[in-house]
Amino acid sequence: MPSYPKVVYKEEGMREGMQIEDANIAVDDKIELLDQLSDSGLKNIVVGSFVSPKWTPQMERIDEIVTRFTPRPGVTYTALALNSRGVERARQYSPPLTIERDPYPRLSAHMCDVFTRRNTNRSQMQEMETWPQRVAQAQELNVKEAGIGCNASWGSNFLGEFPVDSLMTLLEKEHNMWDEVGINVRSVSMGDPMSHCTPAKVEESLYRVKERWPEIDHFRLHLHNGRNMAIASAYAAMRTLGPDDTLELDGTIGGFGGCPYCGNGRATGMAPTEDLLHMMEDMGIETGVDIDKLIDCVWTAERIIGRELYGHVSKAGPRPKTVDQLYDMNAPFIETLEEARHFKKGPEVYEGGIYPYREPITSPYRERVEAGLPAFDSADGDFPWKQDWFPSKDE
Amino acid sequence: MPSYPKVVYKEEGMREGMQIEDANIAVDDKIELLDQLSDSGLKNIVVGSFVSPKWTPQMERIDEIVTRFTPRPGVTYTALALNSRGVERARQYSPPLTIERDPYPRLSAHMCDVFTRRNTNRSQMQEMETWPQRVAQAQELNVKEAGIGCNASWGSNFLGEFPVDSLMTLLEKEHNMWDEVGINVRSVSMGDPMSHCTPAKVEESLYRVKERWPEIDHFRLHLHNGRNMAIASAYAAMRTLGPDDTLELDGTIGGFGGCPYCGNGRATGMAPTEDLLHMMEDMGIETGVDIDKLIDCVWTAERIIGRELYGHVSKAGPRPKTVDQLYDMNAPFIETLEEARHFKKGPEVYEGGIYPYREPITSPYRERVEAGLPAFDSADGDFPWKQDWFPSKDE
């Protein structure tokens, strides 16, 4: 059975999420949510961005948030800054902020020349023109290991789909520049601001990178979810990489997020953190989060934002695993989304529903589980496989 | 690169979806939606169920729907019937209905004794007690090939998680009964009414079935989506099976659906058809659907039901691939879900948004794409990789 990479997860709701929501959401509400996120077990939280309030009024009061939230020991808090002015602003608040540094000096460019012009006011060519300077800086600092990367990796709302061949050609170009100066490439980053990822393309891209450059063992994926492919793509990445690899993944509680430049607005989204981490726990990848507390965060976010978000585990509840989480066998009909919240709110929310059974439901399996036994014994066990009553064609 | 199984997709919105919605949704509305689905290119549509209106009032007027909808040649219409009375009712309407028959006589049971009692008023043991009779019938009919199956395959809201070992033990038991009478097992069915699927478990289950019984080449998965795992699980299934296999998958437009017995109500859902089929098209698996028409269906369903459904492609639009689908480079800020619908409603929905650029955006790539050229030439091409301006460390 598979063994998975080490996964480093970053919660982007306060940045990717809030930047596309109403600019008038109260600072107090945002701080409440941030403090709740801090208490959920998440290890890496982006608190917002230091950007121009002219174009991103949602982040105008980031200073207040950073000043007033309650940092929790062991959690790394970062903020996005797109230029030196932003970094300077963020530095004022470090600590509690950690000034985010890519562990590797990196050459990167957008595959989509239109998106980079819309989003960052630079052409793809201007991005590439920074490469020689970056390489020279790395040489001066005597750096031994570096990274390569691309953004809008698999396609663009303004140019269409990009074949993985083109992505590999861009990465090859970057890799060659590091090769020329004898700096080892250990990391690759792939972004997807316009939600063109698919699990098949992510899998193919990572597979080809591993095949071409086996020494790369650090992978960073920033996947958007406008076409509902982020979770499947993240799974494909975990499945493709191995236990010696590190995979950095980003997502947002509830799955909200987006930017005004990509063309999908609030329909962009990211992988819902609670759904993705609940999957990872099931795969045996430790996340450290308390899923119940994450669901509290989603409910808080929905209240603050004023609408239902995209995640599912916050609506249906986690898969019950322990006896205390199991649903009541004799619950009546559960139909509405409000009734479905019984997993946290208790049976009051479905009381009075239709009860269609003449006799109360009982089950020998449930008795076993409540007694602390597994529902099924192992394959050689005696329940129910070898019970006298087990039917056979001879009966 | 991978080669995928043949996928047979069944649209369940009129049954799985409507059965958990308001019983008062007008018959005319349901017929409008069903006719729209018929026109979308879907090949297999479940129109509803012939069940007791006492417990499923949502299906009380199924006779009217079946009488008045417009069947389209080439589309297979089926209806769910849980007992002989239901089958008898459905037969009255065949044609246009096809009376659904499992292509294989099948032994199956729920892994969860509680759910089968709640949902079908039978214990797991009573399900198993039908097996000898089924085997005897198959022998009488001189059937050569048969199926095995399980439901609630990976876990239950009432009993917790089931290890894949237990599932394999159940299937082994069923397989043995066919072996004893010399009937070949060619098909396996796995259901998941309580949304306990994960891609890792689906992958492991299918892999172990293939490994144990290589002659099984027909797979049926009915996956629910309460924990947002249905698309990733479907992808894992496509990835695990090969080109000689057939994979039957079910889902619903918009991703709605559920039953009142499972404990998650409307939070249950299935894979959103439009998202899943859009992914399959990207993988080169032909679906025959017009994604634009499917999105119309989702919007109709949302209007009829009165709330936003779970799918994403209906909100962000499909990944633009052709020139006429590309977004306007000079679109202003696109922020709200209503503005995001420009992909179908046109630029009117975002007109008046913030336009942050001093000069209109232009791009040589866009010119290429609009001229019918690929954004990037092949790896050896001259754009932009070998342009004079391409930077190198020597400049």
Side-chain angles (χ1 to χ4, degrees):
Chain A
M1 281 297 101
S3 56
Y4 301 111
K6 176 168 186 255
V7 179
V8 177
Y9 189 79
K10 195 165 67 181
E11 166 57 38
E12 283 269 15
M14 299 298 298
R15 203 275 294 182
E16 279 278 7
M18 287 299 176
Q19 75 182 11
I20 195 70
E21 297 297 331
D22 191 329
N24 296 312
I25 292 173
V27 167
D28 284 351
D29 284 341
K30 289 186 181 177
I31 291 171
E32 178 190 349
L33 178 58
L34 177 53
D35 286 343
Q36 230 176 354
L37 288 167
S38 291
D39 191 42
S40 70
L42 288 165
K43 298 282 181 295
N44 303 284
I45 299 176
V46 188
V47 300
S49 51
F50 289 95
V51 290
S52 164
K54 183 172 177 193
W55 304 122
T56 314
Q58 294 88 346
M59 294 295 155
E60 185 163 12
R61 297 174 69 181
I62 179 71
D63 301 77
E64 284 176 73
I65 292 168
V66 175
T67 308
R68 290 175 44 207
F69 86 107
T70 306
R72 192 186 173 92
V75 179
T76 300
Y77 300 94
T78 55
L80 181 74
L82 294 174
N83 53 33
S84 55
R85 169 83 186 105
V87 173
E88 196 179 303
R89 287 175 65 198
R91 279 230 177 82
Q92 296 178 263
Y93 306 106
S94 172
L97 294 190
T98 298
I99 302 305
E100 196 173 23
R101 297 183 71 88
D102 194 328
Y104 301 95
R106 192 179 301 274
L107 304 185
S108 191
H110 285 74
M111 298 284 290
C112 179
D113 182 53
V114 177
F115 180 75
T116 188
R117 289 170 191 262
R118 281 178 63 88
N119 190 38
T120 66
N121 201 26
R122 292 198 303 178
S123 68
Q124 183 193 62
M125 186 174 146
Q126 287 172 313
E127 292 185 298
M128 290 175 173
E129 281 169 354
T130 67
W131 292 356
Q133 191 193 346
R134 280 171 193 261
V135 172
Q137 277 176 345
Q139 284 182 290
E140 277 165 34
L141 293 168
N142 203 22
V143 161
K144 299 294 179 213
E145 299 182 333
I148 56 179
C150 51
N151 212 335
S153 307
W154 300 284
S156 152
N157 292 333
F158 305 98
L159 293 177
E161 302 291 285
F162 303 134
V164 176
D165 283 349
S166 298
L167 182 157
M168 290 301 293
T169 304
L170 174 65
L171 295 178
E172 188 85 40
K173 188 83 193 165
E174 295 167 354
H175 204 288
N176 287 346
M177 288 188 73
W178 291 119
D179 288 346
E180 283 173 25
V181 297
I183 293 179
N184 295 325
V185 175
R186 297 294 302 276
S187 172
V188 67
S189 167
M190 298 180 189
D192 177 40
M194 289 170 286
S195 306
H196 282 243
C197 66
T198 66
K201 281 187 168 170
V202 168
E203 183 170 340
E204 182 186 347
S205 303
L206 296 182
Y207 179 84
R208 288 177 65 174
V209 165
K210 291 288 288 182
E211 187 184 48
R212 178 80 184 83
W213 301 296
E215 68 283 5
I216 291 184
D217 61 3
H218 180 265
F219 297 81
R220 175 180 285 182
L221 293 179
H222 183 84
L223 307 175
H224 279 280
N225 199 37
R227 282 88 188 191
N228 207 357
M229 294 287 103
I231 287 184
S233 296
Y235 175 74
M238 293 178 209
R239 193 67 188 80
T240 306
L241 301 179
D244 296 331
D245 297 316
T246 296
L247 173 62
E248 291 190 22
L249 285 176
D250 304 340
T252 60
I253 47 155
F256 70 143
C259 81
Y261 306 99
C262 72
N264 301 124
R266 290 176 193 158
T268 309
M270 299 196 82
T273 298
E274 64 280 11
D275 297 354
L276 186 57
L277 297 193
H278 192 46
M279 176 184 86
M280 284 164 52
E281 288 283 344
D282 185 78
M283 294 162 73
I285 301 175
E286 210 176 321
T287 68
V289 302
D290 180 330
I291 193 76
D292 193 56
K293 289 185 175 180
L294 266 189
I295 292 170
D296 282 333
C297 294
V298 179
W299 290 11
T300 297
E302 290 181 333
R303 174 172 54 76
I304 290 174
I305 292 165
R307 68 171 200 286
E308 190 181 279
L309 294 179
Y310 303 119
H312 289 245
V313 169
S314 62
K315 300 179 180 75
R319 292 175 284 274
K321 288 173 189 278
T322 58
V323 172
D324 61 303
Q325 294 170 332
L326 299 180
Y327 297 1
D328 181 357
M329 283 192 293
N330 282 290
F333 275 18
I334 295 167
E335 304 189 84
T336 66
L337 289 173
E338 183 54 29
E339 288 163 4
R341 291 189 167 200
H342 66 86
F343 68 91
K344 193 182 262 290
K345 290 190 161 182
E348 304 86 75
V349 292
Y350 58 61
E351 263 167 22
I354 294 165
Y355 184 81
Y357 312 113
R358 288 199 195 87
E359 301 284 332
I361 303 275
T362 61
S363 167
Y365 285 88
R366 179 73 174 225
E367 288 167 20
R368 281 174 57 86
V369 171
E370 289 185 357
L373 298 167
F376 296 94
D377 280 340
S378 66
D380 295 332
D382 196 38
F383 190 88
W385 315 109
K386 292 179 183 171
Q387 296 279 349
D388 284 344
W389 51 258
F390 197 89
S392 90
K393 72 180 178 66
D394 303 315
E395 275 174 29
Chain B
M1 281 297 102
S3 56
Y4 300 111
K6 175 168 187 257
V7 180
V8 177
Y9 189 79
K10 195 164 67 181
E11 166 57 38
E12 283 269 16
M14 299 298 299
R15 202 276 294 183
E16 279 278 7
M18 287 300 176
Q19 76 182 11
I20 195 70
E21 297 298 331
D22 191 329
N24 296 312
I25 292 173
V27 167
D28 284 351
D29 285 340
K30 289 186 180 176
I31 291 171
E32 178 191 349
L33 178 58
L34 177 53
D35 286 344
Q36 230 176 353
L37 288 167
S38 291
D39 190 43
S40 70
L42 288 164
K43 298 283 181 294
N44 303 284
I45 299 175
V46 188
V47 300
S49 51
F50 288 95
V51 291
S52 164
K54 182 172 177 193
W55 304 122
T56 314
Q58 294 89 345
M59 295 296 154
E60 184 164 13
R61 297 174 70 181
I62 179 71
D63 301 76
E64 283 176 73
I65 291 168
V66 175
T67 308
R68 289 175 44 207
F69 86 107
T70 306
R72 192 185 173 93
V75 179
T76 300
Y77 299 95
T78 55
L80 181 74
L82 294 174
N83 53 33
S84 55
R85 168 85 185 103
V87 173
E88 195 180 303
R89 287 176 64 199
R91 280 229 176 83
Q92 296 178 265
Y93 306 106
S94 172
L97 293 190
T98 299
I99 302 305
E100 196 173 23
R101 296 183 71 88
D102 194 329
Y104 301 95
R106 192 179 301 275
L107 304 185
S108 190
H110 284 75
M111 298 284 289
C112 179
D113 182 53
V114 176
F115 179 75
T116 189
R117 289 169 191 261
R118 280 178 64 87
N119 190 39
T120 65
N121 201 26
R122 293 200 302 180
S123 68
Q124 184 193 63
M125 186 173 147
Q126 287 172 313
E127 292 185 298
M128 291 175 172
E129 281 170 353
T130 67
W131 292 357
Q133 190 194 347
R134 279 170 194 262
V135 172
Q137 276 176 345
Q139 284 181 289
E140 277 165 33
L141 294 168
N142 203 22
V143 161
K144 299 294 179 213
E145 299 182 334
I148 55 180
C150 51
N151 212 336
S153 307
W154 300 284
S156 153
N157 292 334
F158 304 98
L159 293 177
E161 303 291 285
F162 303 135
V164 176
D165 283 350
S166 298
L167 182 158
M168 291 301 294
T169 304
L170 174 65
L171 295 178
E172 188 84 41
K173 188 84 193 165
E174 295 167 354
H175 204 288
N176 287 346
M177 288 188 73
W178 291 119
D179 289 345
E180 282 173 26
V181 297
I183 293 179
N184 295 325
V185 175
R186 298 294 302 275
S187 172
V188 67
S189 167
M190 298 180 188
D192 177 40
M194 289 169 286
S195 306
H196 282 243
C197 67
T198 66
K201 281 188 169 170
V202 168
E203 183 171 340
E204 182 187 347
S205 303
L206 296 183
Y207 179 85
R208 288 177 66 175
V209 165
K210 291 288 287 182
E211 187 183 48
R212 179 79 183 84
W213 302 296
E215 68 283 4
I216 291 184
D217 61 3
H218 180 265
F219 298 81
R220 175 180 285 181
L221 294 179
H222 183 84
L223 307 175
H224 279 281
N225 199 37
R227 282 88 188 191
N228 207 357
M229 294 287 103
I231 287 184
S233 297
Y235 175 74
M238 293 177 208
R239 192 68 187 79
T240 306
L241 301 179
D244 296 331
D245 297 316
T246 296
L247 173 62
E248 291 189 23
L249 284 176
D250 304 340
T252 60
I253 47 155
F256 69 143
C259 81
Y261 306 100
C262 72
N264 301 125
R266 289 176 193 157
T268 309
M270 299 195 82
T273 298
E274 64 280 12
D275 298 354
L276 186 57
L277 297 193
H278 192 46
M279 176 184 86
M280 284 165 52
E281 288 283 344
D282 185 78
M283 294 162 74
I285 301 175
E286 210 176 320
T287 68
V289 302
D290 180 331
I291 192 76
D292 193 56
K293 289 185 175 180
L294 265 189
I295 292 170
D296 283 333
C297 294
V298 179
W299 290 11
T300 297
E302 290 180 334
R303 173 172 53 76
I304 290 174
I305 292 165
R307 68 171 200 284
E308 191 180 279
L309 294 180
Y310 303 120
H312 289 245
V313 168
S314 62
K315 299 179 180 74
R319 292 175 285 274
K321 287 174 190 277
T322 58
V323 172
D324 61 303
Q325 294 170 333
L326 298 180
Y327 297 1
D328 181 358
M329 282 191 294
N330 282 290
F333 275 18
I334 294 167
E335 304 189 84
T336 66
L337 289 173
E338 183 54 29
E339 288 163 4
R341 291 190 167 200
H342 65 87
F343 68 90
K344 194 183 262 289
K345 290 191 161 180
E348 304 86 75
V349 292
Y350 57 61
E351 263 167 22
I354 293 165
Y355 184 81
Y357 312 113
R358 288 198 195 87
E359 302 284 332
I361 303 275
T362 61
S363 167
Y365 285 88
R366 179 73 175 226
E367 287 166 21
R368 282 173 57 86
V369 170
E370 289 185 356
L373 298 167
F376 296 94
D377 280 340
S378 67
D380 295 332
D382 197 37
F383 190 89
W385 315 109
K386 292 179 183 172
Q387 296 279 348
D388 285 344
W389 51 258
F390 196 90
S392 89
K393 73 181 179 63
D394 303 315
E395 275 173 30

